[in-house]
Amino acid sequence: MSITDDGEYGQKQIDFLELIWGKGFLSPGGTTEVDLVVDGLDLSGLHILDIGCGCGGAVFHLIKQHGAASAIGIDIEPLVIARATQLTKEYDLTDKARFEVVTPGKLPFPDQHFDMVFSKDAFLHIPDKETLMADIARVLKPNGIIAASDWMRLDDNPPSQVMQDYIAAEGLDMHMCSLDRYSKALTNAGFANIKRQDRNAWYLDLAEQEWQSMTTEPMRSQVVACIGEAEANETSNIWRQMIGVLEIGEHRPGHFRATKQS
Ligand SMILES: C[S@@+](CC[C@H](N)C(=O)[O-])C[C@H]1O[C@@H](n2cnc3c(N)ncnc32)[C@H](O)[C@@H]1O
């Protein structure tokens, strides 16, 4: 029994992750981390695509705080899109934010359609990074920007046993690669001005705080109320495994950004 038994991002997983990571977020860091992914960029008036948008937290922030004109969030999980659509109404953003369920594969948009592609910790679920970057280049306008955060690995060698054990414990389809692989894929897809940022130390520190919080009161009771005692225990054990692979430096969250050459 695990919180991913009702789907990779089923209702229990969504409720638990929003409790830990904040309303609208299925990844760590909230709006502060979104700010860092787009730091220094002027997003006013831009038309943005968020790939693997989850419950829409980043889309809402990019519109409300960064002045994006509009954003479309896409995701393969109907329940996260339902939650994002619910929040769109709650935040009164139906004229600017739209969310769609998609099937994995080619992006369902015309060529040169978006000013920017954003993504937060979703590419790890997509195995073929080279095809993904080429397709992102296709849907971007000339000089369009990709700005992404992802859960990556130190290198592209086969994962260590502890990493394999951690990935198996998560119960998610995870295809983490190195920042180097993304850089090569971006260059081959026609991107330039590649900027990279390693976030391992930041998340190691935050993940420790998250574990402390979820295993002590008052959060412990909220987690148990959300997913039950057995799954609360299992999930805190998985968090410890994640902290282990962050500590040895094999699990490396990071950001990258690049511009499509015209
Ligand atoms: C860790 S969550 C992050 C969600 C959101 N970006 C956030 O930061 O809150 C990863 C998301 O990627 C989605 N996903 C997985 N494979 C996908 C694919 N091929 N295309 C689009 N979304 C995908 C999952 O359903 C999930 O909502």
Side-chain angles (χ1 to χ4, degrees), residues 8-231:
E8 292 220 346
Y9 289 91
Q11 200 56 56
K12 267 192 202 168
Q13 176 85 325
I14 293 169
D15 293 345
F16 168 72
L17 293 179
E18 282 199 274
L19 182 63
I20 301 297
W21 286 332
K23 189 172 173 181
F25 284 98
L26 304 179
S27 70
T31 54
T32 311
E33 193 64 4
V34 173
D35 287 341
L36 199 58
V37 175
V38 299
D39 185 39
L41 294 174
D42 179 5
L43 307 190
S44 47
L46 299 193
H47 184 41
I48 297 174
L49 171 66
D50 180 352
I51 300 176
C53 59
C55 301
V59 159
F60 304 132
H61 187 64
L62 295 176
I63 293 170
K64 286 197 289 189
Q65 298 303 323
H66 291 270
S70 62
I72 298 178
I74 57 169
D75 202 289
I76 59 170
E77 296 281 354
L79 285 179
V80 306
I81 292 297
R83 173 70 174 147
T85 304
Q86 178 192 35
L87 290 176
T88 312
K89 292 178 191 139
E90 187 179 317
Y91 295 143
D92 199 16
L93 286 174
T94 49
D95 54 335
K96 292 185 171 175
R98 189 157 59 82
F99 296 93
E100 287 177 14
V101 181
V102 297
T103 48
K106 190 176 173 190
L107 296 166
F109 302 102
D111 297 357
Q112 304 194 7
H113 193 63
F114 295 99
D115 302 301
M116 184 171 111
V117 169
F118 174 92
S119 185
K120 176 87 171 50
D121 306 346
F123 290 165
L124 73 153
H125 297 306
I126 301 173
D128 186 343
K129 316 299 183 193
E130 290 71 22
T131 300
L132 176 63
M133 294 307 133
D135 206 23
I136 289 171
R138 178 184 67 76
V139 299
L140 276 174
K141 294 175 187 168
N143 299 313
I145 292 163
I146 175 170
S149 166
D150 200 23
W151 282 16
M152 293 173 253
R153 291 183 46 230
L154 180 63
D155 57 35
D156 298 300
N157 296 327
S160 67
Q161 192 57 51
V162 276
M163 190 72 176
Q164 288 180 43
D165 293 345
Y166 159 65
I167 290 171
E170 281 279 12
L172 295 169
D173 213 6
M174 292 166 86
H175 308 273
M176 295 154 80
C177 76
S178 67
L179 257 176
D180 283 344
R181 180 165 165 196
Y182 277 124
S183 293
K184 283 191 196 110
L186 286 164
T187 304
N188 290 339
F191 286 93
N193 305 323
I194 299 170
K195 292 197 174 69
R196 310 156 35 136
Q197 192 169 15
D198 187 284
R199 297 292 284 153
N200 170 273
W202 163 77
Y203 193 47
L204 173 58
D205 185 51
L206 180 61
E208 284 280 6
Q209 293 173 41
E210 291 166 349
W211 184 83
Q212 285 294 340
S213 167
M214 74 175 69
T215 54
T216 50
E217 295 301 342
M219 182 61 93
R220 164 77 185 173
S221 294
Q222 292 176 50
V223 172
V224 170
C226 182
I227 59 176
E229 183 150 20
E231 292 174 27

